[in-house]
Amino acid sequence: MISALSIPSPGEEWRAFNLGQWLRDIGLSWFSLDITINAYALCILLGIAAAVWLTHVRLTRRGAEPWIVLDIALFAVPLGIIGGRIYHVVTHPADYFFPGADLLRVLYIWEGGMAIFGALIGGAVGAYIGCRVTGIRFWSFADALAPGLLIAQAFGRLGNWFNQELFGLPTDLPWGLEIDRPNAAIPVGLPEDVLFHPTFLYEIVWNLAGAALLLLIDARLRVQWGKLLGGYLIWYGVGRSVFETIRLDPSELFLGVRVNVWAAWAAVLLGIIIVIVQRRRHPGAEPGPYVAGRGWTPEAGVDSEAVYTETDLAGNDAALVAEKSGAPSATSGPAANA
């Protein structure tokens, strides 16, 4: 039942913004194009931008070339988006493959449907390629990226709120989420005023708390060699395995358990393995963010004593003229050495 603390969902008018129409409304009638900006896509892009910026800051502090993260992102971001979409479509086939379905909707990522586990797989492949190209150590990049990943995922969950999707089971809790009708994810027969678990909000809070925790741990312990990435996988996997069990959207099952719960458990296991193996293989500190034979040296600052002024140049010219004529100059002889 709707209460004073229940969370409203954005209406249809908030899910997309027609930039072209807005420009015409403010007097630019010559602008004839209709450019639609979807809230979900905007949230994804903001998340990517936040992760790239934070990774840049952290990687630069470790000694990497400023903004080299962009060179890696050119590979990681597209492959991450492709991987996330493929994973979502494969685990939700009934949403895209049915009699009379428009198969092109598989490509409509702005409508929602990006699976983080697929994005992690695709993004990891892209990041590995980018690191090979730039010479950045993969584990250095992964550790620098780990907190930003959680922040990016928090932005992505905000996009789910705009789309009114991936919400949880019905709840009597006062902070339940209001969902507009009709909605295909709502089971038939539920009362119109029923509220649902705001799983998007649960995961936003969990992800932001995890990002803060990883940053704190790294600041105090200087976690390297991929161990911070392992911590990310453990933190996110634990939270996702819980939130996934209260989601209402249909999902493929394996042995009676949602596929994404299995994926979350796999993430936890992989994170534990990374931490244990890397602690044994690399007990010391990383030699730097670059692999052997690759590196970057900041350009040396200009020595103020080596800067030539106009007076210096004029004196040099006078000395050169005097030398050719055989006459003493103001920059030579006893007076010059006084």
Side-chain angles (χ1 to χ4, degrees):
M1 181 177 296
I2 296 176
S3 68
L5 296 178
S6 60
I7 303 172
S9 291
E12 184 73 30
E13 66 276 9
W14 288 96
R15 298 180 194 174
F17 174 69
N18 191 323
L19 179 61
Q21 184 60 51
W22 179 77
L23 291 174
R24 290 190 290 272
D25 290 342
I26 64 173
L28 301 180
S29 56
W30 53 267
F31 194 91
S32 59
L33 296 178
D34 283 326
I35 302 176
T36 301
I37 301 176
N38 292 81
Y40 178 85
L42 184 60
C43 289
I44 295 294
L45 292 176
L46 288 174
I48 292 173
V52 167
W53 175 81
L54 183 57
T55 305
H56 151 70
V57 172
R58 290 171 49 76
L59 202 57
T60 302
R61 287 176 180 173
R62 296 190 178 203
E65 180 182 355
W67 291 112
I68 198 170
V69 63
L70 294 178
D71 296 336
I72 302 174
L74 288 175
F75 298 94
V77 172
L79 288 181
I81 293 175
I82 293 172
R85 186 59 173 179
I86 291 175
Y87 186 100
H88 169 77
V89 172
V90 169
T91 55
H92 295 78
D95 293 345
Y96 302 95
F97 307 106
F98 53 87
D102 180 6
L103 296 182
L104 288 178
R105 288 190 61 247
V106 170
L107 305 177
Y108 296 171
I109 61 174
W110 54 87
E111 293 183 351
M114 287 286 294
I116 182 58
F117 295 115
L120 287 176
I121 295 172
V125 173
Y128 180 79
I129 296 173
C131 288
R132 294 277 294 183
V133 171
T134 60
I136 291 290
R137 196 183 306 275
F138 175 78
W139 292 121
S140 297
F141 175 78
D143 285 336
L145 173 65
L149 271 177
L150 287 169
I151 295 175
Q153 289 170 237
F155 274 101
R157 288 308 180 206
L158 192 62
N160 296 142
W161 177 58
F162 277 101
N163 278 356
Q164 297 195 34
E165 61 185 2
L166 308 186
F167 45 88
L169 297 169
T171 180
D172 293 328
L173 294 172
W175 58 79
L177 178 66
E178 303 171 20
I179 296 294
D180 296 334
R181 271 67 165 183
N183 189 303
I186 299 178
V188 178
L190 287 180
E192 287 291 324
D193 61 349
V194 69
L195 300 177
F196 301 89
H197 277 288
T199 48
F200 83 94
L201 182 60
Y202 298 161
E203 196 163 326
I204 286 176
V205 173
W206 180 261
N207 289 343
L208 293 180
L213 180 62
L214 291 182
L215 289 171
L216 178 62
I217 292 174
D218 191 38
R220 294 190 175 185
L221 303 179
R222 291 191 58 82
V223 183
Q224 298 178 332
W225 292 111
K227 294 190 286 289
L228 201 67
L229 174 67
Y232 155 80
L233 291 171
I234 295 170
W235 179 269
Y236 181 71
V238 168
R240 181 62 183 271
S241 66
V242 175
F243 305 140
E244 186 71 22
T245 59
I246 62 173
R247 274 176 36 173
L248 193 59
D249 58 299
S251 175
E252 293 296 299
L253 302 178
F254 180 70
L255 298 179
V257 179
R258 292 169 69 98
V259 170
N260 281 334
V261 174
W262 285 105
W265 291 342
V268 174
L269 179 60
L270 178 60
I272 293 173
I273 292 174
I274 289 175
V275 172
I276 293 175
V277 171
Q278 292 299 85
R279 284 189 64 181
R280 292 179 178 177
R281 291 184 59 188
H282 304 286
E286 288 181 356
Y290 288 91
V291 298
R294 304 287 293 273
W296 172 77
T297 303
E299 294 183 5
V302 178
D303 186 352
S304 61
E305 296 182 358
V307 175
Y308 287 93
T309 65
E310 293 182 0
T311 303
D312 296 327
L313 294 175
N316 289 341
D317 291 341
L320 182 59
V321 172
E323 182 180 349
K324 289 183 178 180
S325 62
S329 69
T331 58
S332 62
N337 296 325

